[in-house]
Amino acid sequence: MRKPIIAGNWKMNKTPCEAKELVESLKPLVCDAQCDVVVCVPAVNFAAVAEAAQGSNIRLGAQNMHWKESGAYTGELSAAMLRASGVEYVILGHSERRQYFAETDETVNLKTLAAVAAGLTPIVCVGETRAQREAGYTDALVAYQTRIALTGLTGEQVEKIVIAYEPVWAIGTGLTATDEQANETIGVIRRAVADAFGETVAANIRIQYGGSMNPKNAHGLMMQPEIDGGLIGGASLKAADFAQVVHFER
Ligand code: PGA
């Protein structure tokens, strides 16, 4: 059985003070969670969130990192820096990073390898645009993105990472994939993992859905057999909403 994982993606929101406040409000609301609970926050909030979350079941995540260990990469952060700041998870290849910061499947692969080598758990994002879905490319595209991102990892490493299926057209738009659409495409991603790494690895890897997931639709999505969690943007910025998603089973 795969343990569900609900992760918040705060994106470019919250100052350290606001971050501390949000985590303090969240703690009592999610302390009895049956799933893994992660908040992926801006790097300036690592210290505040690590301190506020100490001793709780809330784990700290980042939203990006560089694949090199150190060097002349102005503005970038290494996996070791994240680790030393209490970070355990890192979102890689989010569609906003691909769209606005020119990330490619190849750089997502380099980052995934570096994150795993440093002991971080990557949350690797894949997903199609509306035009790609309408053209019928969704399955081929998500399978390709998945295969490239995981190239060079062992099966043992792959089964510990997290993949997030995020249809680009559903992110921040209020449009959610239907439960069945999300389940079906996550099934395609799981098959791509099986083809490359075998059935056991595919059965163990956790694959989240992301894209306008909220307290209202979380239950339906999470009841789908292929969906092991959620990557939550907008609804992760309010403690009550995020806690309701965490308690999707209610
Ligand atoms: P959203 O964002 O929940 O606001 O659609 C999800 C994401 O981008 O990870």
Side-chain angles (χ1 to χ4, degrees):
M1 270 310 284
R2 301 182 291 264
K3 187 176 186 193
I5 173 166
I6 302 291
N9 174 10
W10 290 6
K11 308 193 180 185
M12 195 172 71
N13 293 289
K14 307 287 177 192
T15 62
C17 268
E18 293 164 346
K20 179 178 178 328
E21 226 169 273
L22 178 50
V23 172
E24 293 294 356
S25 329
L26 199 55
K27 273 198 291 189
L29 301 178
V30 302
C31 61
D32 57 345
Q34 303 296 304
C35 60
D36 287 338
V37 181
V38 183
V39 290
C40 299
V41 310
V44 292
N45 296 336
F46 290 163
V49 171
E51 194 188 333
Q54 205 168 26
S56 79
N57 59 335
I58 300 172
R59 305 265 81 88
L60 177 58
Q63 301 173 7
N64 178 38
M65 53 165 255
H66 199 275
W67 60 89
K68 294 277 192 176
E69 280 176 24
S70 62
Y73 302 100
T74 303
E76 292 292 323
L77 301 172
S78 72
M81 292 171 185
L82 302 193
R83 284 278 293 180
S85 306
V87 171
E88 294 177 56
Y89 293 83
V90 57
I91 298 173
L92 296 176
H94 189 280
S95 64
E96 286 152 15
R97 303 252 4 133
R98 294 177 191 256
Q99 187 183 348
Y100 306 130
F101 302 99
E103 294 204 10
T104 64
D105 292 319
E106 287 70 27
T107 58
V108 173
N109 175 237
L110 291 171
K111 291 177 181 202
T112 304
L113 291 169
V116 169
L120 292 163
T121 301
I123 299 176
V124 177
C125 301
V126 300
E128 82 288 358
T129 62
R130 175 187 289 281
Q132 287 163 334
R133 177 164 282 268
E134 283 168 359
Y137 296 152
T138 299
D139 292 2
L141 183 88
V142 296
Y144 176 82
Q145 288 178 327
T146 302
R147 287 287 284 267
I148 300 287
L150 306 184
T151 298
L153 293 177
T154 65
E156 208 179 321
Q157 291 170 325
V158 170
E159 65 186 5
K160 293 196 199 86
I161 77 163
V162 177
I163 296 177
Y165 166 55
E166 297 207 307
V168 178
W169 48 270
I171 295 176
T173 56
L175 295 171
T176 324
T178 63
D179 300 347
E180 293 74 23
Q181 267 174 338
N183 189 64
E184 191 188 319
T185 306
I186 289 178
V188 170
I189 294 167
R190 202 178 297 286
R191 171 97 334 256
V193 173
D195 291 345
F197 298 97
E199 298 294 338
T200 309
V201 173
N204 288 337
I205 191 171
R206 295 185 292 180
I207 310 180
Q208 300 172 313
Y209 169 78
S212 299
M213 197 161 162
N214 60 43
K216 287 204 178 69
N217 59 30
H219 179 80
L221 286 159
M222 290 300 296
M223 287 307 108
Q224 295 290 322
E226 297 286 0
I227 304 181
D228 304 319
L231 185 54
I232 322 298
S236 73
L237 296 172
K238 291 206 180 95
D241 287 354
F242 188 59
Q244 276 190 60
V245 177
V246 165
H247 289 293
F248 59 83
E249 73 281 359
R250 284 180 187 162

